[in-house]
Amino acid sequence: MPNLSTLFRAGAFLVLVAFLLQPQWFEPLLRPLVQENAPVIYNQGSLLQLTLLHLRTVAVATAAASLVALALAILVTRSSGAEFLPLSRSLVNIGQTFPPVAVLALAVPIFGFGEKPTLIALFLYGLLPIFENALTGLTTLPPSVMEAARGAGMTGGQRLLKVELPLAMPVILAGIRLSVVISLATATIGSTVAAKTLGEVIIAGLQSNNLAFVVQGGLIVATLAVLLHDGLQAAERKLAARMGR
Amino acid sequence: MIEIENITKRYGETAVVDDVSLTIAPRTVTVVVGTSGSGKTTLLRMINRLVEPTAGTIRLDGEDNRSLPGYELRRRIGYAIQGHGLFPHRTVAQNIATVPTLLGWERSRIDAKVDELLQLFQLDPAAFGPRFPHELSGGQQQRVGVARALAAEPKVLLMDEPFGALDPIIRAKAQDDLLTIQKHFETTIILVTHDMEEAFQLADRIAVMDKGKVVQYATPAEMLIKPATPFVESLIGVSERPYRLLAIEQVSSAVEPGSADGAAISSALTQREALAELLWSGRSALPVADPAGAIIGKVSLEGLAKRAAGPA
Ligand SMILES: Nc1ncnc2c1ncn2[C@@H]1O[C@H](COP(=O)(O)OP(=O)(O)OP(=O)(O)O)[C@@H](O)[C@H]1O
Ligand SMILES: [Mg+2]
């Protein structure tokens, strides 16, 4: 029996898909937000295409951030790499504290306008939650389990792949989830440097004083964020439940 | 055969295991006892090289345990720890299969072994194999932990307080099971415990550790009759001595000629159990029956009292 919140999410998903495929159906709802004669539905490109590009940008940046952050976390939790912990910590912290807008401003002269500066900004911004969570996950494993893994004759690599990573996975996934949600929202500013994201809709709305554009851009991003957040959280729960936590 | 020779482990200035030498005969159970912090776990972990000794050598069947990489050595030695350390993300069957999988056994051989062990520990393979550890009771988890340690049929099994978390009834059962399995697989077991009762029940030999040193290494009977130091004596418990002495031997060796009234007692029970029965039933002698049920004589309060007496 699906509960209320599952139904609500399924509904949100259906509305989102409908809106992306047939935006004109929703015209009456948004009409009150615009002045006479102004377009109600974004008309400078396909909303569906922008959404897919937006998601792609977030996916690429998060995948890269996950790989690097996880690799760093694995490195610094090996006895041979422990000395790099403070350095790695400061690096990912800088990535988080440096404002993405400033990253864009610095990256444009080097990489030009378009998707690349956005990817870099999102990548840097997304490192910290994944790194910190992976670190927590890998350093708080039950000692008796680690002892048993060593006692059974697993090599360092086998322990990492068969025991440490699977056990830390729910916590690592939580970090990736945070990073995805942050990136979904942050990606909109990429459109200030001509990246194809849903930010384009919001910016177009701001420039032409069209509230309907701003609202539809914002709502699509927000709905995506909620759905992805919940989807990933469900996956984490499932993993964790299998381990009896 | 395990030969521990002048083994020492120092952390900084303190020697937590100090020049220990023990020779452990194959197919026996050696129990290591001692106060907390006396170095029991450290000694055990040096055998499978989870801890590298500062000095000394350990040989297994004549071969130095440093002659092969640590992880390969550990695949040959079973290791069961307190709190079982089962992998929470793997099923009971997968947990038990850990070392055979590492050794690259064939699937069918692994499955057969897992089933055999689960049955041996009275866990139905079909019901328990696919479960995750958190779906078992504490006692069941403990048994699975021991089964995992035995899966690759190691000649040597190290156990660090394996039954610590169990209630007395399950504990007694687990101890019986362990002895059965030890005979079945002809395993050499080294077991660490805090529980003297457990030590006397399981041990062929007991090693008593105090501040990193082995102060006595002897059979239970020798240790009772001639404790090497006051520390050993206090560990055994002065008021327990006669009962422990009786608990070591079976009724069969205390049988006297003659007859007695009432229900017979089995010759396979311990003399301590016979004494308890005598006291409880208020009789001065009991008939003794051999395993086949034939009366072979009697056991008397007087006879047991003589046997429970220490050296004059
Ligand atoms: N890695 C380590 N570094 C420093 N000291 C250690 C280390 N491991 C153990 N010790 C010390 O060595 C001593 C012996 O420890 P060990 O675990 O062998 O004792 P134990 O006899 O097993 O005690 P218990 O009965 O409490 O389990 C203790 O004082 C402990 O603090
Ligand atoms: Mg210990």
Side-chain angles (χ1 to χ4, degrees), chain A residues 142-155 158-159 162-164 166-167 241-245, chain B residues 45 48 50-51 71 74-75 77 79 81-90 98-99 101-102 132 134 148:
Chain A
S144 67
V145 172
M146 293 311 298
E147 169 91 351
R150 232 154 70 80
M154 290 189 188
T155 61
Q158 286 167 336
R159 290 202 300 276
K162 295 183 171 202
V163 179
E164 297 177 49
L167 284 183
R242 267 188 32 162
M243 300 174 208
R245 286 203 215 133
Chain B
R45 286 158 52 94
N48 67 0
L50 285 172
V51 171
Y71 62 90
R74 289 190 279 274
R75 288 174 192 176
I77 298 178
Y79 185 44
I81 49 178
Q82 178 163 18
H84 60 76
L86 294 178
F87 302 128
H89 60 303
R90 296 189 172 191
T98 304
V99 183
T101 307
L102 290 173
F132 285 93
H134 70 92
R148 177 176 65 181

Side-chain angles (χ1 to χ4, degrees), chain B:
Chain B
M1 172 114 103
I2 305 172
E3 295 159 283
I4 299 173
E5 256 182 39
N6 305 105
I7 210 88
T8 296
K9 178 67 191 181
R10 273 194 206 92
Y11 288 114
E13 285 297 288
T14 38
V16 298
V17 172
D18 193 0
D19 196 26
V20 165
S21 299
L22 296 176
T23 303
I24 294 162
R27 299 180 290 283
T28 60
V29 180
T30 297
V31 175
V32 184
V33 295
T35 44
S36 189
S38 56
K40 305 180 295 293
T41 298
T42 307
L43 178 66
L44 201 68
R45 286 158 52 94
M46 283 192 284
I47 297 173
N48 67 0
R49 279 176 58 206
L50 285 172
V51 171
E52 296 289 351
T54 313
T57 48
I58 295 177
R59 281 191 301 274
L60 304 170
D61 289 332
E63 201 183 339
D64 193 318
N65 73 348
R66 285 164 300 190
S67 62
L68 71 178
Y71 62 90
E72 277 184 32
L73 175 78
R74 289 190 279 274
R75 288 174 192 176
R76 295 190 189 179
I77 298 178
Y79 185 44
I81 49 178
Q82 178 163 18
H84 60 76
L86 294 178
F87 302 128
H89 60 303
R90 296 189 172 191
T91 62
V92 165
Q94 289 168 336
N95 263 287
I96 296 177
T98 304
V99 183
T101 307
L102 290 173
L103 291 171
W105 285 17
E106 268 175 41
R107 193 72 254 159
S108 56
R109 185 174 168 207
I110 295 179
D111 292 343
K113 190 74 209 178
V114 170
D115 280 9
E116 180 196 343
L117 281 167
L118 280 173
Q119 257 151 13
L120 214 52
F121 284 92
Q122 281 132 25
L123 299 166
D124 175 22
F128 286 92
R131 289 206 204 165
F132 285 93
H134 70 92
E135 297 167 323
L136 305 183
S137 75
Q140 290 164 344
Q141 290 173 341
Q142 201 85 50
R143 277 181 275 165
V144 174
V146 178
R148 177 176 65 181
L150 285 167
E153 299 175 8
K155 289 231 186 65
V156 175
L157 176 61
L158 309 177
M159 310 182 87
D160 199 349
E161 303 187 39
F163 307 129
L166 302 185
D167 68 63
I169 293 177
I170 304 220
R171 192 176 177 131
K173 175 89 185 62
Q175 291 164 352
D176 282 345
D177 286 351
L178 183 69
L179 287 181
T180 313
I181 285 160
Q182 187 255 342
K183 304 234 156 56
H184 181 85
F185 290 118
E186 306 200 318
T187 318
T188 307
I189 296 180
I190 306 178
L191 182 143
V192 169
T193 183
H194 273 117
D195 178 355
M196 288 310 288
E197 196 73 34
E198 178 166 280
F200 277 94
Q201 204 212 319
L202 295 176
D204 291 306
R205 278 175 164 264
I206 299 177
V208 178
M209 288 191 74
D210 185 20
K211 302 189 194 80
K213 287 192 179 295
V214 169
V215 291
Q216 187 166 17
Y217 178 47
T219 64
E222 280 165 15
M223 194 161 282
L224 283 167
I225 293 162
K226 269 195 283 177
T229 65
F231 174 73
V232 176
E233 199 163 13
S234 72
L235 206 60
I236 294 168
V238 175
S239 64
E240 291 287 335
R241 283 183 301 191
Y243 309 111
R244 293 206 198 286
L245 205 53
L246 289 179
I248 292 169
E249 290 199 64
Q250 291 190 337
V251 173
S252 54
S253 54
V255 176
E256 305 159 32
S259 63
D261 295 332
I265 184 171
S266 160
S267 64
L269 293 177
T270 66
Q271 296 176 10
R272 179 173 170 169
E273 287 165 309
L275 175 67
E277 183 56 34
L278 281 166
L279 292 174
W280 194 247
S281 63
R283 291 180 284 177
S284 59
L286 290 172
V288 176
D290 68 9
I295 303 293
I296 53 173
K298 64 168 185 176
V299 56
S300 69
L301 261 184
E302 213 180 334
L304 289 181
K306 276 197 197 112
R307 294 181 156 270

